[in-house]
Amino acid sequence: AYFPCPLGEEASLTSNTNNDLPGILADGTKFNSGFSTMIIKNDENQNTVDGFIKVSFKIPEGAVVSDLAILYWDGTQWVELIDGLALGGGRKVALGGSFSADGLYLEALVNFTGTFVLVQK
């Protein structure tokens, strides 16, 4: 993940495995990788940021790229990040599920923190 600067006092990125996700993925969905982001400003967790965070996942070798998606845990369910998605609470997706210029990464631009996963649908 790439964070806009300046963004506050502290930012963190924590790797997740399939076993420590906040919710179960839908049947038939294959977990590839995941991470959680957090930003602390004035000793408070910031759910949204000014600007956008680039969420980026390396595309696994042999993956069917048309079946890949970036999902976000919205507190109750997994939501696929798609262009223009508004999640409430000021959370917005500017760009969802696009490929990097070199074709090696699947990326999204979001203005919020939380848990993100790369899955094969």
Side-chain angles (χ1 to χ4, degrees), residues 14-75:
T14 306
S15 179
N16 296 105
T17 67
N18 194 28
N19 294 329
D20 48 33
L21 296 177
I24 298 171
L25 296 169
D27 286 342
T29 303
K30 179 185 173 202
F31 173 86
N32 283 296
S33 60
F35 59 81
S36 296
T37 60
M38 184 180 1
I39 296 174
I40 304 293
K41 185 175 183 179
N42 299 324
D43 296 324
E44 292 185 20
N45 187 13
Q46 303 295 300
N47 295 322
T48 60
V49 297
D50 295 330
F52 290 93
I53 298 168
K54 182 190 285 186
V55 176
S56 181
F57 289 94
K58 185 164 176 57
I59 296 170
E61 283 189 39
V64 178
V65 294
S66 61
D67 291 344
L68 293 176
I70 298 174
L71 305 182
Y72 166 74
W73 181 254
D74 74 354

